Amino acid sequence: MSEAGEAAADEAKGGRDAQLKHTGLRPGWTTGACATAATTAAYTALLTGDFPDPVTITLPKGQTPAFALAYEDLRPGTEATAAVVKDAGDDPDVTHGALVRATVRPLAPGAGVVFRAGPGVGTVTRPGLPLDVGEPAVNPVPRQMMREHVARVADEHAGAGAGGDVEITLSVDDGAEIARSTWNPRLGIVGGLSILGTTGVVVPYSCSAWIDSIRRGVDVARAAGRTHVAGCTGSTSERTVVAEYRLPEDALLDMGDFAGAVLKYVRRHPVDRLTVCGGFAKLSKLAAGHLDLHSKRSQVDKGFLAGLAGTGGADEELADRIRAANTGLAALQLCAAVHVPLGDLVAEAARDEALAVLRGAPVRVDVICIDRAGTVVGRSTVR
């Protein structure tokens, strides 16, 4: 196919990848991907005496990026350290350029993979996060990526006595200082940054470019005759709506934090049905009337959540605990323990807010709230 033909084919596609191409912005890599690359290189060197440079890893969606090593140190039989520089692409990420280090030490057979927080990586001190109190702030997906790559390296070098039982200490140079510009201190993550990422890829957000890509996504869906589209806050919510409704790729809108952009454009260019799917905390912001869900421009209003819970049967004691909760997830867990359907209440309020923005446009709306693992924790009816 000619270059012109390829460009035309890309223009006709919809979905998350097509939106990113349309922005012209360069994606980057998460701290989780960087930590996985550094861990893979360090463990390989511990077993073989040589650091692979560049080191290639496999991301959850199958991409295989290669990372150049910025630092390496080997103490044969004892430990190996490798580091990579985080490249956030065109995203204004505060961790862009940070040096992410992994030190790998062998453990006794059967010990498994143990994670430690080194300098610049935080420790969880409050409930309400997807990690237990006292754990290093290394989120579940990066942990799984590192475990898988450790197992892969162990399989490749079984003759070198590899068993995959290792301690991984993760560090970020100047991480404690960088973390002051994040939400970690407010969330009770002390001492540094979190190792994050669900796909390994940083999707860059220029407001104007991304909103333009959302509009293009709606246009592509309508041109393809799609009557049901879904606005998703990220890859996990995208997987959820595909599993729920079997929607094709060109019916998926990566709205990110720009819920208002989706609703306002669909108001002018209607489809029969719009599903909004995203994390509980983000959609609680929509429920409270925020159309920009970015953490720098709107926050979870726990007073609002307490009021919603009250309509679902929460007493004043529970309402006070919700107001004092560390995160939206913690508030959700408090309600779940006593069968107050806070997730459904947030989904219904978010749907009503969406309908208000649509101003009577002929679009039926439903909302699905999920947790970090993609489990549905609340949903509204279609109206």
Side-chain angles (χ1 to χ4, degrees):
M1 182 183 294
S2 68
E3 289 186 8
E6 289 179 359
D10 284 341
E11 192 67 22
K13 292 179 182 177
R16 184 181 181 90
D17 290 340
Q19 276 185 244
L20 179 55
K21 288 180 181 177
H22 182 68
T23 66
L25 299 173
R26 185 172 64 88
W29 311 115
T30 63
T31 48
C34 295
T36 300
T39 295
T40 302
Y43 190 38
T44 301
L46 191 63
L47 296 176
T48 68
D50 293 313
F51 289 87
D53 188 10
V55 57
T56 300
I57 63 170
T58 303
L59 300 180
K61 286 193 170 184
Q63 305 101 313
T64 55
F67 296 78
L69 299 186
Y71 175 88
E72 55 187 57
D73 180 59
L74 175 62
R75 301 178 186 181
T78 303
E79 67 179 37
T81 300
V84 301
V85 175
K86 176 174 173 176
D87 178 2
D90 289 330
D91 194 68
D93 191 319
V94 295
T95 60
H96 177 70
L99 191 67
V100 180
R101 300 176 186 265
T103 298
V104 179
R105 301 179 182 90
L107 294 178
V113 177
V114 177
F115 294 94
R116 305 290 185 204
V121 170
T123 298
V124 177
T125 66
R126 296 181 194 167
L129 296 168
L131 299 166
D132 292 336
V133 171
E135 281 290 310
V138 182
N139 269 21
V141 172
R143 288 180 184 234
Q144 184 60 28
M145 288 171 60
M146 282 180 265
R147 289 191 186 100
E148 290 173 355
H149 282 76
V150 163
R152 191 173 305 164
V153 172
D155 286 344
E156 291 173 357
H157 302 286
D165 301 293
V166 297
E167 176 188 270
I168 303 170
T169 300
L170 299 172
S171 309
V172 179
D173 286 18
D174 301 316
E177 181 65 28
I178 297 170
R180 294 178 184 175
S181 300
T182 74
W183 279 83
N184 276 16
R186 300 188 192 187
L187 297 175
I189 298 172
V190 301
L193 294 162
S194 300
I195 304 299
L196 301 172
T198 56
T199 65
V201 179
V202 174
V203 177
Y205 287 103
S206 155
C207 291
S208 59
W210 203 260
I211 288 171
D212 184 58
S213 78
I214 287 171
R215 293 168 178 167
R216 176 185 174 278
V218 174
D219 292 343
V220 168
R222 283 165 48 89
R226 305 304 177 196
T227 58
H228 183 185
V229 302
C232 307
T233 58
S235 60
T236 303
S237 53
E238 187 176 279
R239 288 194 298 271
T240 298
V241 294
V242 169
E244 288 275 329
Y245 301 120
R246 299 291 185 264
L247 292 178
E249 183 180 34
D250 59 7
L252 303 175
L253 307 172
D254 187 353
M255 73 178 185
D257 294 314
F258 303 115
V262 170
L263 294 167
K264 292 173 185 177
Y265 198 70
V266 168
R267 182 176 71 207
R268 299 192 299 272
H269 306 273
V271 293
D272 290 348
R273 181 174 175 184
L274 169 66
T275 296
V276 176
C277 183
F280 169 80
K282 279 191 182 293
L283 293 188
S284 76
K285 298 179 188 180
L286 175 60
H290 297 287
L291 299 183
D292 185 335
L293 311 182
H294 195 281
S295 61
K296 290 184 178 179
R297 295 179 287 274
S298 60
Q299 292 82 45
V300 175
D301 185 341
K302 282 165 281 191
F304 171 76
L305 292 180
L308 269 186
T311 68
D315 59 22
E316 192 55 36
E317 179 186 357
L318 177 56
D320 286 342
R321 294 175 68 194
I322 293 170
R323 293 186 191 98
N326 187 35
T327 63
L329 177 60
L332 181 68
Q333 292 169 338
L334 288 171
C335 289
V338 292
H339 307 294
V340 172
L342 184 58
D344 292 337
L345 295 168
V346 163
E348 289 166 3
R351 175 205 58 203
D352 292 345
E353 183 63 29
L355 289 170
V357 176
L358 287 168
R359 298 179 187 172
V363 181
R364 295 181 301 142
V365 178
D366 67 305
V367 172
I368 300 175
C369 299
I370 61 173
D371 64 15
R372 290 175 182 269
T375 302
V376 175
V377 296
R379 65 170 74 232
S380 74
T381 56
V382 182
R383 270 185 47 192

